[in-house]
Amino acid sequence: MSLDVTVGGATAESYASVAEADAYLVFRGDTSSWSALSTTDKELKLKWAASILQDLAWQGTKNDTAQALEWPRYDAYDKSGWLILTTVIPPELKLAQAELAFQLIANDWTQGLGPTVPTRVKVGSIEIENQSVNGLPQAVTAKIRHLLTVVPGQGSLVRG
């Protein structure tokens, strides 16, 4: 099996390659469960992560109706407000996909990705707030928040 990471390709299955995911996860630390996977299993996790990312509310519009994935996009901007070229996948999206693929080894983050109301419990001076159980992992959302119009699990407008 060979993972199709062609930018804007009609049969693209992933934004990040296995090599890109491996490179990111080496620096993340404590990723022995990822390292233990075969290349085929890593590709499957990356495909699953890409399929989850497909359903997010991204800024801009798909660059081409024939492309399989949501990126590249037209009229999308980076953190600094610079236009993202329609010939590239934002590096932070690749990192977010690698992080999500890693997180999918142990957890199924696909359960109820819709907006949720945070749960807050207060007993005396102790207060606990549940952090978006039905959204994406914080480590994923933090990387791509600026590319979204709505943050999963929060339902808040990021960019108008």
Side-chain angles (χ1 to χ4, degrees), residues 28-96:
R28 186 189 184 284
D30 191 27
T31 56
S32 57
S33 57
W34 176 263
S35 301
L37 294 177
S38 68
T39 299
T40 299
D41 286 339
K42 288 177 182 181
E43 289 176 349
L44 290 172
K45 292 296 183 195
L46 285 168
K47 284 181 186 181
W48 187 8
S51 72
I52 293 169
L53 295 173
Q54 284 296 96
D55 294 332
L56 300 182
W58 300 104
Q59 57 173 285
T61 56
K62 279 175 91 167
N63 188 48
D64 187 334
T65 56
Q67 70 190 48
L69 300 176
E70 287 296 316
W71 284 86
R73 296 183 73 76
Y74 173 76
D75 202 24
Y77 297 84
D78 67 13
K79 284 182 187 179
S80 299
W82 290 95
L83 185 66
I84 299 170
L85 297 176
T86 58
T87 56
V88 299
I89 303 299
E92 56 270 40
L93 176 55
K94 291 181 178 194
L95 299 180

Side-chain angles (χ1 to χ4, degrees), residues 5-17:
V5 293
T6 306
V7 176
T11 59
E13 306 164 293
S14 179
Y15 299 114
S17 67

Side-chain angles (χ1 to χ4, degrees), residues 84-149:
I84 299 170
L85 297 176
T86 58
T87 56
V88 299
I89 303 299
E92 56 270 40
L93 176 55
K94 291 181 178 194
L95 299 180
Q97 182 190 4
E99 178 67 36
L100 183 55
F102 171 70
Q103 297 264 346
L104 287 170
I105 295 170
N107 302 298
D108 182 353
W109 288 91
T110 61
Q111 298 301 315
L113 279 176
T116 61
V117 178
T119 305
R120 182 175 286 173
V121 177
K122 186 173 183 177
V123 178
S125 62
I126 299 172
E127 185 172 359
I128 300 171
E129 185 172 344
N130 191 359
Q131 295 297 320
S132 183
V133 218
N134 291 330
L136 290 172
Q138 163 67 20
V140 173
T141 306
K143 289 174 180 38
I144 57 173
R145 172 182 295 278
H146 64 283
L147 299 173
L148 299 169
T149 58

